[in-house]
Amino acid sequence: MGRFYITTPIYYVNDVPHIGHAYTTAAADVAARYHRQLADDVFFLTGTDEHGTKVEQAAAARGLGPKAHVDEVVGKFKEVAAKVGASNDFFIRTTDPEHEKFVQDFVQRCYDAGDIYKSSYSGLYCPACEAYYTDENLMDGLCPDHGTVPVHMEEENYFFRLSAFQDRLAGHYRSHPQFVRPRHRYNEALSFIEQGLDDISISRATLKWGIGVPWDENQVIYVWVDALINYLSALHYAPGENLVARFWPASYHLMAQDILKFHGIIWPALLMSARFELPEHLFIHGYLKLGGEKMSKTRGNVMDPFPLIEQYGADPFRFYCLREVSFGQDGVVSEESFKARYNTELANELGNLLSRSVSMIGKYRGGMVPGTGGREPAESPLAREAETKVQAARDQLDEMDLSGALESIWVLVRRLNRYVEEQAPWKLAKEAEAGGPEGQTAKAALDATLWDLAEGLRLLSVLLHPFVPGTARVMRERLGLAAAPAASEGTGTGTGGPSWEDARWGLLPPGLSVVAGPPLFPRIED
Ligand code: ME8
C-alpha cells in the first residue's frame, strides 16, 4: 500500500467557474479514485484562492466588501467540485484563519533564514496575472496572457531571494527528471531557470485584501505566495490524523501551463527556504480551448460546464473531457463534439453493450449468469486481450496518462461489441434448441459467450470506476454484483469503489442475477 496526495490549483474567486476548472478537478478525481482502488492512502485537495487585487477589484465592482464577495462565490466553486463528482477530502479556502496563520509562520521561516529583504520596486505589473513584467516578457507592450496594458507600479516591498536558489533548483530538476511532467514542460521550466532568476517581490503595500506580513503590519503577503502554501497548510488543519506526516510531500500538483512557473520555480524555492521537502511531481495538462482560443475568465470566452452536467450528468462530462483531449496536450472542446462522443461512445458502444448483454442473459438464461460452458475462464478468446488492456491501463494511470488509459479501456469496450457480432448468441440459441450433440455444443458455446460478456462488463466496471464512478456502479448493479461501498462515491477517504485486485479476467462467479434497466445513456436527439 502506497500513499498518494494530489492537489488541484486553488481557483480564483474573481469570477465564476468554467469548464477548465471542472476539467482539472475531474482529472484529479480520476487519479484519486484510481489510487483508492489500489488501496493507497489517498488525500485529494482542492479549494479557492481568495486574496489579491483581482478579487478586491471584482468585489468592488459589485459594490461588496471582499469577504462578502468571496463567501458568495466560493459556493459556486464548491458546487463545481460536487457536480463533477469530485471525492476531494478537503476544500481549502485561503481565508481560513488556520491557513492565514500557517502562511505567516511559513513566511517568517523564510525571513529568519535570511531569504527575504526589503527593497523598492518600480516597474510594470499586470493585475490580472498578479505578476510583474519586464519589457522583454511583454508582447508588443501587452501582457502575453491577457493582452492588456500593464500598469506602472512603484512600491517598497519585501523581496524573496529567488536568485539565490537558481543552482539548487536546476540541481533538483536534473536529479529528478520526473519532477515536472510531461517532458516538454520540464524542459520549459528548466530552461527558464537556466536563463537566470531575479528576486521576486513577495509583499504588497497598496493592497489591503491579503494576509499581513508578520513583521510589518503595513504590508500584505503577495497572493501567489499565500496561495502556493495552501498545499502544505491544508494538511495542518484538515480533518484527519497526522496528515502532514502521512501526505507531505505531495505526490502530484495538477494544473495547466499558465501557472507552471509559479509551481515549478517559486514554490520549490520557497519550500527550500522554509526547509520543507519538495513535491514529487507537477503534472501540467493542456488548455481546453473553445473555438481554438484558450478560455479565460478575464477574456470572457468561457464554456459553462453546469448545463451539460445538469442535463447529462457528471459521468458523461468527465468522460468527454478526458477522452476528447489528450491529457497533457491542448485540445478543442465544444457542445457538438460532446454530443457526438456521447452518442457514439457512451450510448452506442458502452450503453448498448450492457443492455444487449443483460437482455440476452435474461432471454436465454432466465436472467442468471451461466457458467463458462465447461471451459476454463483463461481459455476465453477475450482473456488475453483483457489482461493486456488491464495492464496497459494500469501503466498509463501510474504515469498520469489518463486519456491513454481511457483509450486502452475503450479498446476493450469495442472488442466486446465485436465479440457479440462474432459469436452471434441468437444463432447459438437457435442451434441449441435443435438438441443432440450439436445442440449441446451450441448450448455450451452460448453459456461461454454470455459468461464472457458478463465478465468483460464486470472488468470494465472496475477499470471505468475512476473515470465514470456512477456508471461503473450501475453496471455492477445490473450485473447483480453488490453495489460499491458508499464511501467511494462521496467526499471522504473510504477505500472506495471496486478494488484494483478485481481487475483480473476470470473472477466472475456464475449464478448472479442480472437486472434489466433503462438505457445507461439515452441518446441525445437534436
Ligand atoms: O491560477 N483549460 O487560478 P485560476 C484547462 N488561483 N484548464 C484550465 C483552463 C482551460 N482553459 N482554464 C483554467 C489560478 N484552467 C490561481 C492558482 S494555485 C496555488 C493558485 C484550470 O482560477 C487549470 O488547472 O486562474 C489552470 O491552471 C487553473 O484552472 C487556473 O485557475
Side-chain angles (χ1 to χ4, degrees), residues 19 50 84 106 122 142 144 172 174 226 240 251 271 297 337 372 376 394 404 410 436-437 509 516-517:
I19 195 173
E50 305 189 1
V84 302
F106 187 107
S122 154
L142 304 177
H172 186 80
R174 291 209 184 87
D226 159 1
S251 315
L271 286 166
K297 287 174 286 196
S337 66
T372 53
E376 287 301 315
R394 176 166 190 163
W410 222 255

Side-chain angles (χ1 to χ4, degrees), residues 67-301:
K67 186 68 167 78
H69 170 72
V70 296
D71 284 349
E72 191 188 307
V73 183
V74 70
K76 301 223 174 79
F77 280 89
K78 286 191 167 164
E79 212 179 314
V80 179
K83 287 207 165 146
V84 302
S87 58
N88 54 299
D89 296 283
F90 190 56
F91 188 101
I92 188 168
R93 300 182 56 182
T94 55
T95 49
D96 291 341
E98 299 92 337
H99 168 78
E100 299 188 345
K101 172 79 176 64
F102 186 86
V103 168
Q104 291 188 320
D105 292 347
F106 187 107
V107 172
Q108 184 73 51
R109 285 167 73 118
C110 302
Y111 189 65
D112 294 344
D115 294 325
I116 291 176
Y117 62 94
K118 195 170 189 177
S119 181
S120 61
Y121 177 84
S122 154
L124 299 169
Y125 187 76
C126 170
C129 299
E130 304 264 12
Y132 289 105
Y133 280 95
T134 58
D135 285 335
E136 303 94 78
N137 301 145
L138 297 174
M139 260 170 51
D140 303 325
L142 304 177
C143 164
D145 217 21
H146 298 96
T148 47
V149 182
V151 294
H152 184 79
M153 282 260 282
E154 200 160 344
E155 273 191 12
E156 276 251 288
N157 287 163
Y158 289 96
F159 280 73
F160 176 68
R161 281 186 215 286
L162 187 61
S163 57
F165 290 88
Q166 180 170 336
D167 291 345
R168 284 178 65 192
L169 284 171
H172 186 80
Y173 270 74
R174 291 209 184 87
S175 57
H176 297 81
Q178 302 291 331
F179 180 54
V180 175
R181 308 170 104 166
R183 190 66 188 178
H184 64 284
R185 299 296 175 199
Y186 168 96
N187 292 337
E188 219 174 279
L190 178 57
S191 89
F192 190 80
I193 294 168
E194 285 170 339
Q195 280 163 30
L197 299 175
D198 294 326
D199 292 350
I200 54 163
S201 152
I202 56 136
S203 72
R204 297 288 180 269
T206 44
L207 178 71
K208 294 277 161 293
W209 183 236
I211 302 175
V213 169
W215 60 88
D216 184 342
E217 59 186 21
N218 295 317
Q219 302 248 350
V220 298
I221 295 166
Y222 176 37
V223 63
W224 262 105
V225 171
D226 159 1
L228 288 163
I229 296 170
N230 91 86
Y231 302 128
L232 187 53
S233 74
L235 297 181
H236 286 79
Y237 69 95
E241 281 178 26
N242 294 326
L243 297 183
V244 181
R246 271 163 66 197
F247 294 112
W248 194 259
S251 315
Y252 274 98
H253 294 317
L254 198 58
M255 73 205 74
Q257 59 265 43
D258 48 348
I259 54 180
L260 168 58
K261 280 186 198 161
F262 293 100
H263 286 78
I265 296 161
I266 300 177
W267 179 224
L270 287 169
L271 286 166
M272 284 173 180
S273 169
R275 300 186 188 285
F276 289 101
E277 280 184 78
L278 306 197
E280 286 167 6
H281 308 286
L282 316 182
F283 191 96
I284 316 300
H285 64 63
Y287 287 142
L288 302 190
K289 299 184 171 198
L290 201 58
E293 261 205 8
K294 186 209 163 190
M295 273 174 270
S296 86
K297 287 174 286 196
T298 322
R299 288 198 183 135
N301 63 332

